[in-house]
Amino acid sequence: MRRPCATTAGAAALVVALSGAVTSCDAERSQGTGKQSSAAAKRSQGPQLALTHMVNTYYLPRPTASDAGDRPTDSRPSEYKLRLTTSKPPPGRDPQRAEDVKVTFDLSAVKDSATLHWVNKGYGCTRSADSLTCAPGHIKEGEGAEFTPFAMKPRPDAAKGPAGPMDITVTSTSAPTVRHTTQLVIGAPS
């Protein structure tokens, strides 16, 4: 009967030892001081970014020949909309800005199923290989940016159904990183 008590005591000692190790491994802490680095403190007290009204599934409809009166047709590009917001400043503090905001779309998983039809250059959107990066710039707390970064079309030979994930990452030099994944589906929902 003493063996379970020894195991429990040993497990408790291990938890205490590990919890101390985990708290001291925080990448955002200064070496050995227990205080946040100035960059971490700035991000935690400043604006918070959020992707709002995001779709979890992005459908790329593809008309069939019967939809077009039995004549072949090319599908129209489908616009992808993005709404980026910031937190409101706390009472008594002037609004700060989320600095150098960038939104990156990883399109590598969907490259065999869909193509970008156009890219919104007005928001600094540029394509490089299998990614698209937009640079809306600085966003003041309590405000946001709503735009259409691109329009996409299914490839003619793409099979209907799930085509893969489209990973979205929002970064800023003064706000924490935000991530979202949207599943691309070829065809309309049934």
Side-chain angles (χ1 to χ4, degrees), residues 30-51:
S30 299
Q31 293 181 343
T33 65
K35 295 181 180 177
Q36 286 185 324
S37 66
S38 62
K42 184 177 179 182
R43 282 195 301 270
S44 67
Q45 295 173 3
Q48 303 293 306
L49 294 166
L51 289 165

Side-chain angles (χ1 to χ4, degrees), residues 51 54-55 58 78-84 101-111 116 118-120 123-136 145-152 165-171 178-184:
L51 289 165
M54 296 298 293
V55 294
Y58 177 46
S78 178
E79 295 180 345
Y80 189 85
K81 302 208 184 283
L82 183 123
R83 184 168 185 212
L84 185 60
V101 176
K102 291 185 181 166
V103 182
T104 303
F105 298 85
D106 179 356
L107 305 170
S108 59
V110 300
K111 67 181 179 183
L116 291 180
W118 63 262
V119 173
N120 186 345
Y123 277 89
C125 299
T126 58
R127 184 174 182 182
S128 175
D130 296 331
S131 70
L132 175 77
T133 301
C134 299
E146 187 170 348
F147 62 102
T148 303
F150 60 84
M152 189 178 273
M166 183 170 59
D167 294 319
I168 304 162
T169 305
V170 181
T171 59
V178 177
R179 294 176 180 7
H180 180 79
T181 299
T182 296
Q183 298 297 324
L184 181 68

